[in-house]
Amino acid sequence: MVKTASSPSSSPVTITVSSGGKGGGSRSMGLTSPVPRASVSNNPNSPLSCRGNRASSGGNRTSSGGRYVSMSKDDATEEISSEFVNYTVHIPSTPDHQPMSVSQTSLNEDAKPERSFISDTIFTGGFNSLTRGHVIESSLEKSQSMKMGLICGMKGCDEKAMQNKCECGFKICRDCYLDCVGSGGGHCPGCKEPYKDASDGDNDDEVMSEADDQALPLPSMADFKLDKRLSLVKSFKAQNHPPDFDHNRWLFETKGTYGYGNALWPKDGYGGANGFEHPPDFGERNRRPLTRKVFVSAAILSPYRLLIAIRLVALGFFLAWRIRHPNREAMWLWGMSTTCELWFAFSWLLDQLPKLCPVNRTTDLSVLKDRFETPNLRNPKGRCDLPGIDVFVSTADPEKEPPLVTANTILSILAVEYPVEKVACYLSDDGGALLTFEALAETASFARVWVPFCRKHNIEPRNPEAYFGQKRDFLKNKVRLDFVRERRKIKREYDEFKVRINSLPESIRRRSDAYNAHEELRVKKKQMEMGGNLVETIKVPKAIWMSDGSQWPGTWASAEADHSRGDHAGIIQAMLAPPNAEPVFGTEADGENLIDTTEVDIRLPMLVYVSREKRPGYDHNKKAGAMNALVRTSAIMSNGPFILNLDCDHYINNSCAMREGMCFMLDRGGDRICYVQFPQRFEGIDPNDRYANHNTVFFDVTMRALDGLQGPMYVGTGCIFRRTALYGFSPPRATEHHGWFGRRKIKLFLRKPKVTKKEEDEIVLPINGDHNDDDADIESLLLPRRFGNSTSLAASIPVAEYQGRLLQDLQGKGNQGRPAGSLAVPREPLDAATVAEAIHVISCFYEDKTEWGKRVGWIYGSVTEDVVTGYRMHNRGWRSIYCVTRRDAFRGTAPINLTDRLHQVLRWSTGSVEIFFSRNNALFASTRMKFLQRIAYFNVGMYPFTSIFLLVYCILPAMSLFSGQFIVQSLSVTFLIFLLAITITLCMLALLEIRWSGITLHDWWRNEQFWLIGGTSAHPAAVLQGLLKVIAGVDISFTLTSKSATPDDGDDEFAELYEVKWSFLMVPPITIMMLNSIAIAVGVARTMYSPFPQWSKLLGGVFFSFWVLSHLYPFAKGLMGRRGKVPTIVFVWSGLLSTIISLLWVYIDPPSGTQDFRKFQFP
């Protein structure tokens, strides 16, 4: 309770501090001041301020430490039952009301009493608390205020008065004025008239309640004014303290504030200029990078580079020694071996140089979600601001590519973890088969139960065949009680789905036979009605009929006119319409719904079936033409700025794979990325990986190394493209590399209105909004010549470019960004005009006189269109990214049969030969491609030619054993040291590659074995076919690689591994094996029975023969099949070739000491 004194100069004030509650009997301390009260703090933050006491209904106030403080005069009627200790407490003014600065030297004698009690005053310290400097200033303020006559006129108050609060001139301080306004009805104590600004005062200076009498947060920086004066914070104990006085408790009684920041945020919020605010996300996750580059440890990479240099030097010395020390006894053997070794050194250098800068990369999906799917000022509802992705799946023959495999791939795409309204899936059926069409319709129906089940229970992988075929515990990490019951229902539904898919061919055949029979009867009946001759049979075409009774516009089994594989109409069918922008939740499980989907979004992405038109006389360009048709179709129907292409047997194994790829596209600098390539992972491979089907050395060593240069090559599947890069446009920025090894760099900005330099194979994208730019107008006029006469397609190009931009705070120099929230708009629904335009752009004649396949889209003219397409993008200055996810992003199948594997390698190597003899050879690359990247692409076209030297080198050991000679005149110590150094450095390089790439030694050895198998079988044939195409113009055709279907229960999963299919590619390796085997026997026999055995030459020849045979061991094992059976034709051809070669050798170099068998004489 506070009682006002009758006079400002009356007896001192007593302050009683009780450590207990109200009415408690605990010990209390009284503090008595011998001088009049000079001022009471006006700071509401001060713990000793009495403003809260005036506003509170009671006489006590609670300090921040939980104690009760009451004030009274000595003549107060209320008694306090406690001892009084004589202390002096002075409560000065606070920094909120700073007095005028007065020097201590100017104090007169009247101020000495005030200074006398300062040394006996307790100062608690801390923020917003009393200091010794405040006491001195308040004493000065009191003296000056008394002299100036600006003292409050209220009794018992000596505060500084405010100016002109009433016309009568009554002096009143701020606190008394608030008391009058709050409890006195707003009347002036002097003239008893109401204050004119009383209403304003109520709103502006609201009295704080007892609970709010706490220290406020720091003011905002806009309102902050720097105070140059410093206060000395000191605490002194009075000399007459009682022995039980707890000074530390008193000292730290005041609770200050830490202000606001990421260490601590006030519970009441930040009271700044905008009012109280909740703490922001100080981590700023939405501004953190989406990706991070992780370099290989220097402890591994530095020795790796050093070993490359050491081996290069060793090879140089070895080859120099070999050239300077020929074998005079067998110059032909020395010449062939030295030539092969020179080429092998050159080939090794081409393969090794691009591996100097391997890198790894990681992504942060949580930052992607915070940046593009979190509510903000531009997107208050938190709708997805991610760009759209169009997924392309290609198939051509339902007999070699089972529809069930394709259906599982489609299901994994529809269930992907990406905003539903942003995904569109397109299936390209280049065969135009009704079987694929109806299988896709069945897939769309089953997706309505499979996709919600995956979303509800977070299923991985989302390919039902792969999920239900897993051999691990499917209950791991599953917590929902209804999971087992719903999984059982979905498994039963999927089994029925498989039965329906497998029965489709027979169902279509029976239906077509029934309709065709009905058509024959109808034709005969019509013939009878017209009085025709029944003996003359009218041919009725054997059509394929759809389930609704209409003829299928695609291919028929009878291959009729307009219905064959190379002659049929274009077809576009939207199986699933574009979804709504808002989530749609399902219902509880009932008779129609298998599972409870009340908390699951049941929307499905758009699904479209596409079969482009084919007519005789047009070159349809195989898979590349089909992909370009999908590019144009998707631009009309959905126009996603990014495109993911997959083979029909490559399903999405990681539902967040698309998000991982988009992290690179949308991060800072992502506007220069043309595509994100994922590694290919395969399943269904035999455990020993006999034919190196996993290809881990290429995907985990070579591709990681290329990622440290300008980016990995495009390998045909599992790749996310930027649509504008596929359109042939240049990147916003590029770097030209000049001088030796490209050391001098020149940066180019290619999206500016004026472009000074432009490559021949480059299209500069006009920036939206540059209407006054003549160059932009010219580029717009050239669009029909480049992209065709579709106005909708031309109009979609700038839209796709805008949607693929970075956000405005992340755009690169020389490029424009898009504002946040600009993509959070619903997609326009499909209409008939849109579908009609999409059908128009897949016509067979649309690409005539355009640049599709030349500069735009997938590039034509090569069997390996994927490598050429990626090369063109890198040649324009784009860069690519290699994304290796923790969980495999995609998984597919690979041929495990030896013959199928060799034919696959033959197709790849033939495409490389085509690249070498075309303008896509890296020798003609632009200066925008890095030097080491150019070497990597040059090696792609060169590696098949190594097979010529490899064939010769594999036969040399046999020739050496047959002739008794060796590649060197003698096995000298120098030769052995060089050979040992080259071998050891090669093995050490392999071990370090294993360390930084994560592959195994088994993978590396299998790759070495198949390198020799392919180099002696498929690669020589590829060189021969490539030369025939270049020289004679012989076209090369390949059969589609068969995709293995899922084996039935009880069948051998690796049955194809043991099948032996004859191929002419097997002849060279078999011949090499037989020659080396026979040569070893001949060499050993000659040496053992020779009067002068040359064991060193035998040892050298046998060592190299075993080196060849050890590499060909998987090939020999594959020929044996399951039970060791080998086709007779294999032995016939091998024996015939071995005999011919042996006879030629005996004819050229007959054994010494024998008569000339060429001179035949009759006896």
Side-chain angles (χ1 to χ4, degrees), residues 818-1084:
R818 65 173 180 88
S822 58
L823 302 185
V825 293
R827 179 184 297 172
E828 295 182 0
L830 290 178
D831 53 11
T834 302
V835 177
E837 186 69 16
I839 295 175
H840 166 65
V841 298
I842 63 171
S843 60
C844 59
F845 55 84
Y846 183 82
E847 294 183 353
D848 290 346
K849 299 181 181 180
T850 65
E851 295 186 354
W852 284 98
K854 301 174 184 177
R855 296 183 182 180
V856 179
W858 270 259
I859 306 302
Y860 301 155
S862 175
V863 178
T864 53
E865 74 286 336
D866 46 6
V867 177
V868 177
T869 302
Y871 166 80
R872 289 291 187 89
M873 295 181 183
H874 285 143
N875 201 35
R876 298 187 190 107
W878 292 96
R879 69 153 298 128
S880 58
I881 294 293
Y882 196 56
C883 180
V884 182
T885 57
R886 185 183 299 272
R887 177 185 177 89
D888 293 343
F890 309 99
R891 281 190 179 178
T893 58
I896 61 176
N897 182 264
L898 176 60
T899 304
D900 294 339
R901 174 72 165 135
L902 291 179
H903 280 282
Q904 184 186 53
V905 175
L906 174 62
R907 184 173 68 253
W908 294 344
S909 53
T910 303
S912 297
V913 176
E914 292 175 343
I915 292 173
F916 181 80
F917 289 109
S918 68
R919 58 172 296 197
N920 297 313
N921 192 318
L923 291 175
F924 310 112
S926 69
T927 56
R928 295 182 189 175
M929 185 177 291
K930 292 185 177 181
F931 175 73
L932 293 180
Q933 187 82 13
R934 191 179 304 184
I935 290 179
Y937 273 113
F938 180 73
N939 188 42
V940 169
M942 281 291 297
Y943 81 88
F945 295 95
T946 305
S947 61
I948 301 174
F949 304 91
L950 188 61
L951 276 174
V952 175
Y953 207 74
C954 289
I955 297 176
L956 285 180
M959 299 297 101
S960 174
L961 292 172
F962 281 139
S963 63
Q965 301 295 330
F966 194 52
I967 58 177
V968 293
Q969 193 163 0
S970 62
L971 292 178
S972 62
V973 177
T974 306
F975 175 78
L976 294 177
I977 290 177
F978 278 131
L979 189 63
L980 186 63
I982 293 172
T983 306
I984 290 177
T985 52
L986 178 64
C987 295
M988 294 181 68
L989 282 173
L991 292 176
L992 289 177
E993 283 184 359
I994 290 171
R995 286 289 306 276
W996 63 255
S997 64
I999 65 174
T1000 62
L1001 185 61
H1002 178 268
D1003 295 332
W1004 179 83
W1005 174 239
R1006 286 300 190 205
N1007 181 78
E1008 292 295 312
Q1009 287 180 316
F1010 197 79
W1011 170 75
L1012 194 141
I1013 294 173
T1016 56
S1017 57
H1019 295 175
V1023 173
L1024 180 61
Q1025 289 184 349
L1027 291 175
L1028 288 176
K1029 181 178 180 181
V1030 173
I1031 298 174
V1034 178
D1035 195 11
I1036 304 171
S1037 60
F1038 290 96
T1039 57
L1040 187 66
T1041 303
S1042 299
K1043 307 299 189 298
S1044 58
T1046 305
D1048 297 331
D1049 296 337
D1051 294 346
D1052 188 357
E1053 184 179 0
F1054 309 114
E1056 294 184 4
L1057 180 67
Y1058 308 107
E1059 294 182 9
V1060 180
K1061 305 174 185 177
W1062 167 249
S1063 173
F1064 72 94
L1065 299 177
M1066 297 179 177
V1067 174
I1070 293 175
T1071 304
I1072 291 173
M1073 286 192 301
M1074 296 188 68
L1075 282 176
N1076 281 275
S1077 301
I1078 296 173
I1080 292 175
V1082 171
V1084 171

Side-chain angles (χ1 to χ4, degrees), residues 47 171 270 298 489 599 601 616 639 818 826 848 936 977 1000 1126 1142:
K171 304 293 189 300
Y270 162 51
K489 292 180 180 179
E599 300 177 357
D601 187 2
N639 198 29
R818 65 173 180 88
D848 290 346
I977 290 177
T1000 62
V1126 183
S1142 300

Side-chain angles (χ1 to χ4, degrees), residues 305-439:
R305 293 171 175 172
L306 181 62
L307 278 174
I308 292 176
I310 292 174
R311 190 168 195 269
L312 184 60
V313 173
L315 282 173
F317 281 109
F318 171 72
L319 293 174
W321 183 87
R322 289 278 284 123
I323 294 173
R324 286 159 41 189
H325 294 80
N327 185 2
R328 304 295 179 181
E329 299 177 358
M331 291 295 293
W332 59 273
L333 194 61
W334 169 83
M336 288 192 297
S337 62
T338 305
T339 304
C340 293
E341 288 163 359
L342 285 170
W343 182 266
F344 292 154
F346 175 66
S347 177
W348 173 83
L349 187 63
L350 291 180
D351 181 68
Q352 203 67 44
L353 283 179
K355 298 179 182 179
L356 293 175
C357 306
V359 296
N360 299 312
R361 300 181 188 273
T362 59
T363 60
D364 194 339
L365 297 182
S366 60
V367 177
L368 183 74
K369 184 176 181 62
D370 291 341
R371 185 177 297 178
F372 294 96
E373 298 178 283
T374 303
N376 51 49
L377 294 178
R378 293 183 177 270
N379 186 16
K381 293 186 178 181
R383 290 180 175 175
C384 178
D385 197 28
L386 288 170
I389 299 181
D390 295 337
V391 186
F392 296 169
V393 181
S394 59
T395 183
D397 190 349
E399 296 180 359
K400 295 185 177 181
E401 297 170 335
L404 185 60
V405 175
T406 306
N408 278 276
T409 300
I410 297 297
L411 288 171
S412 68
I413 296 171
L414 298 180
V416 72
E417 279 294 333
Y418 202 80
V420 182
E421 67 276 9
K422 303 288 186 177
V423 179
C425 180
Y426 296 84
L427 175 65
S428 171
D429 179 18
D430 223 26
L434 179 61
L435 176 59
T436 305
F437 181 85
E438 295 202 353

